[in-house]
Amino acid sequence: MSIIKNDFEKMNISKIKNFKNNKKITMITAYDALFSKLFEEIADMILVGDSLNMSFAGKPDTLSATLDQMIYHTNAVCTGAPKSFVILDMPFGSYINETQALENAVKVYQETNASAVKIEGGEDRANIIKHLTSNSIAVMGHIGLMPQYVRSEGGYKVRGKTQEDTLQLIQDAIAVEKAGAFAIVVEGVMSDAALEITKAVNIPIIGIGAGNVTDGQVLVWSDMLGFFEAFKPKFVRHYLDGATLVKEAVNQYRNDVQDKTFPSKDEEY
């Protein structure tokens, strides 16, 4: 079956901001040219997430991802999907202070065609986001459950379970918006809290594990297509049993090699 998206248009900051209260945003991760090309005219935005460290490098968390690693994968994604709005996830340790953050973000802009960078943190990182946006770097924020905080927080913890925590998340979102971010990812947050956050700001809130009350959604492609088998987060929906399909295909290839039905005469020179 052919899939044609007739209303595709490349995103920019103004268009993304206009999604607020108008249309839901669809964002997906990608890490290479092959898959980004498949997503290019379907997803509104592509995130080159540091989640690649877990999904594809087999690491227990995202923390060992490096800036050079992220730049390498972003270049692959931009090559495969030149019409996409691509966001680079700034890795752990690459934005400790304003000077370092700007130096690394400039490196991203100079060495890739990324349209923006993403930074984890709320009020505590607002000064860094402000410094970047004041120097012509487009920034997407990220609050709630933040994977780069996993060791300091003692694990992955759902946020917004109390009114106090919800108020803090709202303050974080407002601070990130005031600092100049064009959108915010809200991860691992109770849906009631996510709704309050979404209403509190004038920029799009993109949820992951935050219910359907936000302005859009983002998922890791290997999760939603069923390739990642280690575990399935509660918020993930499998749209394909990718792992099983690949195993069956490779097993069939092996069988065809063993019984000499591959390659056939039609597949010879």
Side-chain angles (χ1 to χ4, degrees):
M1 182 178 69
S2 174
I3 298 176
I4 301 174
K5 187 173 187 294
N6 294 314
D7 60 344
F8 173 80
E9 58 177 330
K10 181 168 181 174
M11 291 294 106
N12 58 40
I13 299 296
S14 296
K15 290 177 182 177
I16 292 166
K17 286 182 176 180
N18 286 337
F19 271 67
K20 186 78 177 183
N21 300 320
N22 290 315
K23 183 181 176 183
K24 296 286 189 179
I25 296 171
T26 303
M27 185 161 78
I28 191 169
T29 66
Y31 314 110
D32 58 45
L34 179 64
F35 275 89
S36 62
K37 184 62 178 176
L38 297 177
F39 305 151
E40 182 178 33
E41 294 195 11
I42 302 173
D44 297 306
M45 293 185 280
I46 293 178
L47 172 66
V48 186
D50 57 4
S51 51
L52 67 87
N53 217 41
M54 299 174 71
S55 300
F56 295 95
K59 303 293 185 181
D61 54 42
T62 66
L63 303 187
S64 61
T66 67
L67 186 63
D68 286 341
Q69 211 178 343
M70 300 307 299
I71 287 174
Y72 171 86
H73 286 279
T74 299
N75 275 323
V77 168
C78 290
T79 298
K83 293 182 286 186
S84 290
F85 188 96
V86 177
I87 303 144
L88 178 145
D89 218 350
M90 294 292 283
F92 178 74
S94 65
Y95 50 97
I96 291 173
N97 55 53
E98 294 177 8
T99 301
Q100 182 204 37
L102 181 58
E103 180 181 328
N104 286 329
V106 167
K107 179 179 172 73
V108 168
Y109 268 25
Q110 290 179 334
E111 297 185 14
T112 78
N113 286 325
S115 300
V117 299
K118 181 171 77 64
I119 285 180
E120 293 185 15
E123 285 186 312
D124 59 327
R125 294 282 167 76
N127 65 308
I128 291 173
I129 295 171
K130 177 66 174 176
H131 191 59
L132 295 184
T133 58
S134 296
N135 284 279
S136 305
I137 305 292
V139 178
M140 172 178 281
H142 183 152
I143 64 172
L145 187 160
M146 296 176 287
Q148 292 180 13
Y149 287 55
V150 61
R151 297 185 194 176
S152 63
E153 295 286 340
Y156 300 105
K157 299 177 180 179
V158 175
R159 299 286 305 278
K161 290 184 175 182
T162 67
Q163 187 60 28
E164 181 183 10
D165 193 35
T166 298
L167 290 174
Q168 179 58 61
L169 290 170
I170 291 171
Q171 289 176 24
D172 286 336
I174 291 171
V176 170
E177 179 184 26
K178 286 182 176 178
F182 67 90
I184 306 172
V185 169
V186 171
E187 180 173 1
V189 171
M190 301 292 288
S191 59
D192 289 347
L195 178 58
E196 291 191 48
I197 295 165
T198 302
K199 290 179 175 179
V201 295
N202 295 311
I203 57 175
I205 297 296
I206 301 170
I208 175 168
N212 66 359
V213 296
T214 56
D215 300 301
Q217 300 291 328
V218 59
L219 281 177
V220 172
W221 81 259
S222 53
D223 286 342
M224 59 93 66
L225 294 181
F227 283 90
F228 188 65
E229 296 183 290
F231 61 91
K232 177 184 173 294
K234 180 181 180 180
F235 58 81
V236 169
R237 178 180 296 179
H238 282 166
Y239 287 87
L240 185 75
D241 188 2
T244 297
L245 291 173
V246 168
K247 288 177 181 178
E248 289 176 348
V250 175
N251 191 61
Q252 185 62 55
Y253 164 58
R254 177 184 181 278
N255 291 339
D256 291 350
V257 171
Q258 293 295 320
D259 64 20
K260 299 182 181 180
T261 60
F262 176 80
S264 67
K265 285 295 181 182
D266 291 339
E267 292 158 333
E268 292 179 3
Y269 290 106

